Amino acid sequence: MRRQMVGCQISISLDGFVAGPDQSAENPLGVGGERLHEWVLTTASWRAQHGYEGGERNMDSEVVEGLTQTVGAYVMGRKMFGGGDGPWDESWRGWWGDEPPFHTPVYVLTHHPREPLEMQGGTTFHFVTDGIESAVEKAGAAAGERDVTVAGGASAIQQALAAGLLDDLYLHIVPVLLGGGERLLENVGDPKLEPVEVVASPAVTHVRYRVF
């Protein structure tokens, strides 16, 4: 039986940012941050996962297709789920509409309790108030023999790295410079990283690291 893995994958600029400066509810990726994701929005795999037709079938699309094949549960930070800070406005149900693209349990890190939110298509959001270790443990139990992905944003991934919870760090390195914003690899201790896979396209370089 294969060992369950805990990993993450995220797009990052050449200067190390996963979101641009001046993030807000209206502009959650910050100034210029949407440039980090232009490569994925054109792929046939991403479009199919989000209910759209068309898109390009290329090496980037093959990478995207592989990202979700073994995932049984997700962990994400409150900022990625959205809805602002403080106590919950329970009318907020995430950025993704009535049928989010996860189709598995999702564990949201938060300081404010909220009842589980069951959505269409198999996604249920669970709200975890006792930290990243608890969220990953709950996600692992829900995933069974499948893997856990820490979906982001930067703070959730930083916490997972610092706590030694990640087995796998997959960076999609986009050739843009944001000059500021939310830097990924800060306050993570001194993890040992071994590159084990590189896929390069004209739009982005995908580098998978094993974390020790």
Side-chain angles (χ1 to χ4, degrees), residues 71-140:
V71 179
Y74 292 87
V75 173
M76 68 174 59
R78 173 158 181 180
K79 187 180 293 185
M80 182 171 177
F81 181 77
D85 298 326
W88 287 101
D89 171 1
E90 298 205 4
S91 67
W92 179 261
R93 298 167 63 84
W95 301 104
W96 304 277
D98 291 333
E99 187 171 346
F102 305 104
H103 309 297
T104 65
V106 179
Y107 293 82
V108 180
L109 297 165
T110 177
H111 296 295
H112 298 276
R114 183 174 178 179
E115 290 299 312
L117 179 59
E118 187 173 349
M119 308 293 285
Q120 296 177 21
T123 299
T124 298
F125 294 105
H126 301 269
F127 301 91
V128 180
T129 59
D130 52 349
I132 184 68
E133 291 91 348
S134 175
V136 170
E137 182 180 358
K138 289 178 170 66

